[in-house]
Amino acid sequence: MDDLTVTFVDRGRVKADRNFVVDGHSVATASNREPTHDYETYVVWNLVIETPELTILWDTGSHPDAGDGYWPDPLYEAFAHVDAADHPLETDLEAAGYRLDDIDAVVMSHLHLDHAGGLYAFEGTDVPIYVHREELPFAYFSANTDEGSIAYLQRDFDRDLNWQVVHGDEYHLAPGVELLHLPGHTPGLLGALVDRPDSPLLVVGDEAYVETNYEGQPMATSLLWNNGAWKESLERCRDVQRETDAEIILGHDLTVFERLTD
């Protein structure tokens, strides 16, 4: 679509062992019992998608106090958002040319703490917050029991928000913006096909943290809700890319992000 634009919003850097991101990247063997571990840098990003009907914010990033006790210590030890304090949502949107008041709708790809931490900015407003039907109950379940995923913080999403529930495998949000249900990383992970005028953009998101995941090597088990569903969602993404020749943006791949934003 000629009147659709996508702006990439840099929300800072996360440091983590690559073994979390690529399963079995560095394992001990009989001849190498102390393999070298790669402690790498990953990106957190948001998108602003402007259509004739809506200005859409994709995800909200980490809470700015992530490194100051807002994230539990074990989670921050594993995935350290080292500059979260320098990247409040409001500040990063302003740097990209937008204000909070410009946002007509928010799409939450999922509700993990590095994606839902900025929802506080929309508390008490009528801005619709789109989330998949399978994501919201799983987030509450995880935050309140010993099962599910530890990457959900109830204080991120248990707020006075205008939730809009997405059902099914596809959802037409606005002209040129189709939401895609991609379960695997979480039950309700959303991606999107965005019909940019120069080339479509396939928002793969945390279905694949990095290119190695997109090529078929999964994340560590701790990052997958369902490995079988993840494989099916990956094939769906690949099919969409083949059909549309879309560029892809992955969940946390810094190289891919920098290539898209050069």
Side-chain angles (χ1 to χ4, degrees):
M1 295 183 61
D2 292 340
D3 46 4
L4 186 153
T5 63
V6 177
T7 300
F8 298 89
V9 184
D10 190 335
R11 301 300 312 285
R13 303 292 178 266
V14 166
K15 305 279 191 177
D17 191 318
R18 189 169 176 84
N19 277 299
F20 286 118
V21 175
V22 179
D23 189 32
H25 171 71
S26 178
V27 297
T29 63
S31 60
N32 182 12
R33 299 182 184 183
E34 296 182 359
T36 300
H37 285 252
D38 295 319
Y39 193 67
E40 296 185 335
T41 301
Y42 302 95
V43 64
V44 177
W45 52 266
N46 298 154
L47 304 176
V48 178
I49 305 167
E50 284 200 67
T51 79
E53 295 182 359
L54 296 172
T55 298
I56 303 161
L57 176 65
W58 186 274
D59 280 342
T60 67
S62 302
H63 194 282
D65 294 334
D68 194 28
Y70 186 87
W71 284 11
D73 287 344
L75 288 173
Y76 196 84
E77 279 291 301
F79 292 91
H81 194 156
V82 294
D83 56 356
D86 299 327
H87 287 275
L89 176 60
E90 303 90 329
T91 302
D92 286 348
L93 280 178
E94 184 176 345
Y98 296 92
R99 299 173 303 165
L100 282 173
D101 290 347
D102 295 327
I103 303 302
D104 299 313
V106 178
V107 176
M108 295 305 306
S109 67
H110 60 305
L111 295 174
H112 279 174
L113 73 177
D114 54 332
H115 295 261
L119 281 171
Y120 65 84
F122 300 97
E123 186 167 23
T125 74
D126 61 358
V127 175
I129 312 294
Y130 289 87
V131 65
H132 196 274
R133 167 65 180 82
E134 301 301 325
E135 185 67 14
L136 193 56
F138 187 74
Y140 275 94
F141 172 81
S142 296
N144 287 284
T145 74
D146 293 332
E147 299 183 30
S149 168
I150 63 172
Y152 294 101
L153 295 184
Q154 186 162 333
R155 55 184 174 267
D156 280 340
F157 52 83
D158 191 9
R159 297 177 178 273
D160 178 16
L161 298 167
N162 180 18
W163 293 111
Q164 299 295 311
V165 178
V166 175
H167 295 265
D169 292 336
E170 297 180 4
Y171 183 86
H172 178 78
L173 180 62
V177 183
E178 296 291 330
L179 304 185
L180 308 173
H181 183 209
L182 302 173
H185 175 57
T186 73
L189 186 73
L190 287 172
L193 182 63
V194 182
D195 189 14
R196 296 183 302 178
D198 48 349
S199 66
L201 178 69
L202 178 58
V203 184
V204 176
D206 280 13
E207 166 63 19
Y209 268 43
V210 295
E211 281 192 304
T212 302
N213 302 141
Y214 194 71
E215 292 165 358
Q217 185 70 21
M219 289 86 78
T221 302
S222 61
L223 295 181
L224 287 179
W225 162 73
N226 185 300
N227 190 60
W230 177 82
K231 291 178 180 178
E232 291 179 4
S233 293
L234 181 61
E235 286 307 311
R236 184 182 189 193
C237 289
R238 290 168 167 172
D239 287 344
V240 170
Q241 186 186 21
R242 282 191 292 267
E243 292 167 2
T244 62
D245 197 30
E247 283 192 291
I248 60 171
I249 182 165
L250 306 178
H252 296 279
D253 193 311
L254 180 58
T255 300
V256 170
F257 182 81
E258 290 177 338
R259 185 166 67 230
L260 288 168
T261 55
D262 277 346

